[in-house]
Amino acid sequence: MRPNLVPKPRTGPAPIRDAATIIVLRHADTNPMVLMGQRGAKAAFMPGKFVFPGGAVDADDARVPLTALSSIDEERLKSESRVSPISLAAAAIRELWEETGQMLGTVGSWPHPPENWRRFADTGHWPNGRALQFFFRAVTPEGRPRRFDARFFLASADDLVTDPDDFFGAEDELAHLQWVPLAAARQFDLPFITQVVLAELIVHLKQGGPPATVPFFRNDDEAHLVSRLEGKSPL
């Protein structure tokens, strides 16, 4: 008789996956707000937290007809990266579409899209890389069940080709989708790194123009910054 084989629990640190996140900004000059939703209470990563749309890069994201990124963003995305700028930008646009039903697209047809892009392609659009600005990068700290090397992109709601208040096409990964005013963001249950990104965004809006550099929070920055802030929110 063969003994029962019980899978051994995984040991060692969680692998780091490349990921993309998108910050869609609305009414930047009057009442700035960003698109966010709440992760499920049973989610393995950041349960119950309000987050920006985003997720891991898929292999097929490199195969989409993405309209060009700016040359400066393309160079910045190549730095210390194992994946192409196209993959990262496409992943951000795909995650926005899947999780919110909102689309950054430009008119174009593609006859044989990858399976996870078919619903997007059926609308008659290509993903619009020109609408993106590489804004922030952060690696999930050690000790978390899942870890990501996330590139945050900034986009304007003016570039959406969908109704910004219509979330009917969203999948069910995020609940309570809404436009969160920056002035009220601290009232939401946010991951610490999201608070840091929003604080950077507030400074960016005051200064105007493209950022001189893209902040990169490596996997030990969160603990150091929490200590420096004495546990207070950076917002």
Side-chain angles (χ1 to χ4, degrees), residues 127-151:
N128 183 10
R130 292 192 191 95
L132 301 179
Q133 180 182 81
F134 183 29
F135 184 71
F136 198 89
R137 182 175 178 180
V139 176
T140 308
E142 294 180 0
R144 305 294 172 88
R146 293 182 182 176
R147 299 186 67 201
F148 297 95
D149 184 350
R151 285 71 157 187

Side-chain angles (χ1 to χ4, degrees), residues 15-229:
I16 300 175
R17 299 183 65 187
D18 291 293
T21 299
I22 188 161
I23 310 160
V24 185
L25 179 65
R26 192 178 189 186
H27 304 320
D29 296 329
T30 53
N31 179 29
M33 51 184 66
V34 291
L35 181 56
M36 305 188 79
Q38 187 177 30
R39 293 184 59 81
K42 295 183 179 179
F45 186 70
M46 296 185 177
K49 298 290 186 180
F50 274 85
V51 296
F52 308 117
V57 174
D58 288 344
D60 286 337
D61 290 333
R63 298 171 48 209
V64 304
L66 181 84
T67 57
L69 293 158
S70 72
S71 58
I72 188 171
D73 282 339
E74 188 162 350
E75 285 303 312
R76 287 173 171 177
L77 286 164
K78 288 178 181 177
S79 177
E80 298 185 57
S81 179
R82 302 168 300 177
V83 293
S84 69
I86 289 177
S87 296
L88 294 163
I93 293 173
R94 176 180 52 75
E95 290 287 342
L96 175 69
W97 168 245
E98 291 174 352
E99 295 185 352
T100 72
Q102 297 296 326
M103 178 182 288
L104 289 169
T106 185
V107 175
S109 61
W110 25 331
H112 304 293
E115 183 176 355
N116 59 348
W117 280 91
R118 286 177 185 170
R119 194 164 65 93
F120 191 106
D122 285 346
T123 69
H125 292 85
W126 293 355
N128 183 10
R130 292 192 191 95
L132 301 179
Q133 180 182 81
F134 183 29
F135 184 71
F136 198 89
R137 182 175 178 180
V139 176
T140 308
E142 294 180 0
R144 305 294 172 88
R146 293 182 182 176
R147 299 186 67 201
F148 297 95
D149 184 350
R151 285 71 157 187
F152 292 73
F153 291 89
L154 184 62
S156 170
D158 293 339
D159 288 321
L160 295 172
V161 296
T162 42
D163 179 348
D165 294 310
D166 183 2
F167 304 120
F168 180 77
E171 297 178 0
D172 59 1
E173 186 167 347
L174 296 180
H176 307 297
L177 289 163
Q178 59 191 283
W179 293 96
V180 176
L182 290 184
R186 67 171 62 232
Q187 301 172 20
F188 289 74
D189 186 8
L190 306 174
F192 179 76
I193 195 61
T194 303
Q195 298 176 40
V196 174
V197 174
L198 287 173
E200 288 283 342
L201 179 58
I202 290 170
V203 172
H204 169 70
L205 290 175
K206 290 178 180 178
Q207 293 177 342
T213 59
V214 174
F216 185 0
F217 271 51
R218 300 174 188 271
N219 58 38
D220 59 350
D221 289 329
E222 182 171 323
H224 292 168
L225 188 54
V226 169
S227 175
R228 195 165 77 225
L229 292 172

